[in-house]
């Protein structure tokens, strides 16, 4: 359960940030844009996928509705980028509902499209999603294989924010495998990226993750210190 919780936070970090680190539009704002754009074109596909991503955990049914519409519209437009991304969004909605097997099937379908069409960022993201799903299934060594591959892709794309999210999930896998030193390294790198941007949610999350590792090692005073820092940061950001 703890591994799923850590992975969930790492996934959710991306819902609040673009690769530049700037806040994404709110779901309400995206819905307004969609209502104002009834044209069946690639712009509508992109909006549908954005709405699906903004809602996949809080409103999974709305997420699925938008993602399936994006998939069907992408297919009619011969728009592989939108189609691959829509399969990712469908997978995320099922993942958030703990239906790992269904999520994995959609992620793999999207990955095949991304690989065939040379869609590097979508390929990197789907590879990470597959790794995170294997974490949820308890197949942590397989998870690491995909997550390491995704990290290398994100590095080539110079996407440090998404690399940090991948490292959070790598830390989850290492923690489950009791490779504590490797887990600390992964979480600490993600923490440093959040600190560089003064991103308090990311800092709080990684303090908590490092605390999890210290607790597993029996270092309770050190773990408690990390948890208290997490609580303080959460209070600053009103993150209940």
């Amino acid at each position: 359960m703890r591994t799923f919780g850590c992975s969930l936070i790492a996934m959710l970090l991306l819902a609040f940030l673009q690769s530049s680190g700037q806040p994404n539009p709110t779901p309400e704002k995206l819905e307004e844009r969609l209502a104002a754009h009834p044209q069946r074109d690639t712009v509508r596909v992109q909006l549908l996928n954005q709405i699906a991503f903004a809602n996949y955990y809080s409103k999974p049914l709305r997420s699925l509705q938008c993602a399936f519409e994006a998939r069907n519209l992408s297919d009619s437009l011969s728009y592989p980028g939108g189609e691959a991304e829509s399969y990712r969004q469908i997978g995320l909605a099922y993942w958030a509902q703990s239906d790992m097997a269904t999520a994995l099937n959609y992620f793999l379908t999207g990955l095949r499209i991304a690989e065939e069409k040379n869609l590097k960022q979508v390929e990197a993201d789907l590879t990470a999603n597959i790794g995170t799903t294997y974490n949820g299934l308890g197949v942590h060594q397989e998870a690491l294989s995909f997550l390491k591959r995704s990290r290398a892709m994100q590095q080539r794309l110079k996407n440090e924010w998404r690399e940090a999210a991948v490292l959070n999930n790598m830390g989850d896998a290492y923690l489950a495998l009791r490779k504590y030193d490797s887990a600390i390294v992964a979480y600490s790198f993600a923490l440093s990226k959040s600190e560089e941007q003064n991103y308090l949610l990311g800092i709080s999350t990684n303090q908590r993750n490092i605390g999890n590792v210290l607790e597993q090692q029996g270092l309770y005073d050190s773990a408690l210190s990390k948890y208290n820092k997490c609580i303080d940061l959460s209070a600053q950001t009103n993150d209940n």
Side-chain angles (χ1 to χ4, degrees):
M1 182 63 70
R2 170 178 288 157
T3 297
F4 180 77
C6 296
S7 299
L8 171 60
I9 292 297
M11 288 276 219
L12 288 177
L13 292 179
L14 295 179
F16 293 100
L17 294 171
Q18 297 173 333
S19 58
S20 63
Q22 298 301 313
N24 279 329
T26 64
E28 293 76 17
K29 183 62 69 175
L30 289 169
E31 292 283 6
E32 290 175 9
R33 293 179 185 177
L34 183 69
H37 193 91
Q39 298 92 325
R40 293 177 58 78
D41 56 14
T42 59
V43 173
R44 184 172 179 85
V45 171
Q46 293 164 10
L47 285 169
L48 286 164
N49 279 328
Q50 287 178 319
I51 293 171
F53 188 55
N55 287 293
Y56 76 86
Y57 187 69
S58 59
K59 298 178 181 178
L61 292 180
R62 177 57 178 158
S63 181
L64 285 171
Q65 180 185 28
C66 289
F68 277 115
E69 182 181 344
R71 184 196 64 177
N72 295 339
L73 182 54
S74 294
D75 182 58
S76 68
L77 295 169
S78 299
Y79 179 32
E83 186 175 10
E85 182 63 29
S86 68
Y87 276 107
R88 185 168 101 87
Q89 300 309 324
I90 295 168
L92 284 172
Y94 281 112
W95 178 90
Q97 297 175 84
S98 299
D99 187 346
M100 301 296 169
T102 302
L104 185 61
N105 285 333
Y106 280 105
F107 287 146
L108 288 169
T109 300
L111 181 61
R112 284 194 293 271
I113 296 170
E115 289 174 338
E116 290 172 3
K117 301 300 181 180
N118 200 34
L119 304 167
K120 293 301 184 184
Q121 186 62 66
V122 183
E123 180 184 352
D125 295 340
L126 279 160
T127 301
N129 295 146
I130 292 167
T132 304
T133 303
Y134 276 123
N135 261 344
L137 290 167
V139 190
H140 303 295
Q141 204 61 55
E142 188 72 6
L144 276 175
S145 176
F146 279 92
L147 291 166
K148 288 178 179 179
R149 196 182 314 164
S150 177
R151 184 191 180 188
M153 294 176 184
Q154 302 291 4
Q155 288 176 325
R156 287 194 292 272
L157 292 164
K158 302 187 185 304
N159 195 332
E160 292 186 347
W161 277 108
R162 299 209 177 187
E163 182 189 358
V166 172
L167 278 160
N168 266 309
N169 290 307
M170 288 175 63
D172 296 346
Y174 284 128
L175 177 58
L177 292 167
R178 299 185 179 181
K179 296 183 178 181
Y180 300 126
D181 289 345
S182 296
I184 290 286
V185 169
Y187 289 142
S188 295
F189 184 91
L191 174 62
S192 70
K193 290 301 176 185
S194 294
E195 290 175 334
E196 287 174 10
Q197 301 293 327
N198 195 34
Y199 179 45
L200 297 184
L201 176 61
I203 296 170
S204 172
T205 296
N206 284 287
Q207 294 282 3
R208 194 272 325 276
N209 288 345
I210 293 170
N212 287 341
V213 182
L214 295 170
E215 182 183 349
Q216 287 291 306
Q217 293 176 293
L219 302 172
Y220 300 118
D221 288 342
S222 297
L224 187 60
S225 175
K226 295 294 184 183
Y227 293 147
N228 282 328
K229 288 179 182 178
C230 177
I231 290 170
D232 291 341
L233 288 167
S234 296
Q236 290 178 40
T237 57
N238 296 315
D239 180 9
N240 294 321

